[in-house]
Amino acid sequence: MVLLQSDPFLSELTNMYERSTEKGSVWVTMKRSSMKCEARLKKMANKGEEVEYRCLVRATDGKKNISTALSAKDYLKFQASYALVLKSHMHALKKRERKEKKRVVEPEKVPEKEPKKQKKSSKKSAVSK
């Protein structure tokens, strides 16, 4: 995997999208990383040093893998540029083909009448004396 700076990464990502326009896919993943091994992280924690986490961005088209690591201050600039690359290559997406559902012709629905209200019984109960 090739670790690039952010601008060359975006230009290479653009090339990947262009190569996969007709056929293929491009996978992009992002994750938080300190870019240090576990042993070094433990030593830094014991000494009380702060660990600077970076954003690791990876992309692959199945043939070629590229990656870049971004600091927190570079992330917003990168995200804006990345969004432009994505928007410019959205035209290559195609709609998913769905199977046609057989539609059953429903008979016309007859409007339901309101249920009749029951009349109060006019017969009074006979009170015996």
Side-chain angles (χ1 to χ4, degrees):
M1 186 170 293
V2 181
L3 188 65
L4 303 170
Q5 296 295 323
S6 62
D7 291 334
F9 176 85
L10 290 170
S11 63
E12 187 61 38
L13 184 64
T14 302
N15 292 339
M16 279 185 178
Y17 279 124
E18 289 172 358
R19 283 194 303 260
S20 65
T21 300
E22 294 298 319
K23 186 177 180 182
S25 300
V26 176
W27 293 273
V28 179
T29 59
M30 295 181 183
K31 75 177 217 176
R32 185 177 93 158
S33 174
S34 65
M35 303 297 284
K36 294 180 177 23
C37 65
E38 290 293 321
R40 184 176 273 173
L41 287 174
K42 287 180 182 178
K43 285 181 184 178
M44 290 177 77
N46 290 341
K47 291 179 181 179
E49 296 179 17
E50 270 192 44
V51 178
E52 179 189 352
Y53 287 100
R54 302 173 67 79
C55 180
L56 180 63
V57 183
R58 296 177 183 150
T60 183
D61 61 355
K63 298 174 185 171
K64 187 171 185 177
N65 298 329
I66 58 173
S67 63
T68 187
L70 306 165
S71 65
K73 57 185 173 187
D74 296 337
Y75 183 74
L76 291 176
K77 179 183 170 192
F78 174 82
Q79 195 67 19
S81 301
Y82 177 63
L84 290 174
V85 170
L86 284 180
K87 287 178 186 175
S88 66
H89 293 91
M90 286 289 180
H91 63 83
L93 296 176
K94 60 181 179 181
K95 289 190 175 182
R96 189 177 86 177
E97 295 176 15
R98 298 183 181 196
K99 295 179 182 177
E100 286 188 34
K101 294 181 181 177
K102 292 184 180 178
R103 295 185 181 176
V104 178
V105 179
E106 295 181 20
E108 287 186 32
K109 291 185 179 179
V110 178
E112 294 180 18
K113 295 181 181 177
E114 293 182 21
K116 294 182 180 178
K117 295 181 182 177
Q118 293 181 354
K119 295 181 181 179
K120 293 182 181 178
S121 59
S122 60
K123 297 179 184 176
K124 294 185 179 178
S125 57
V127 180
S128 52
K129 293 185 182 180

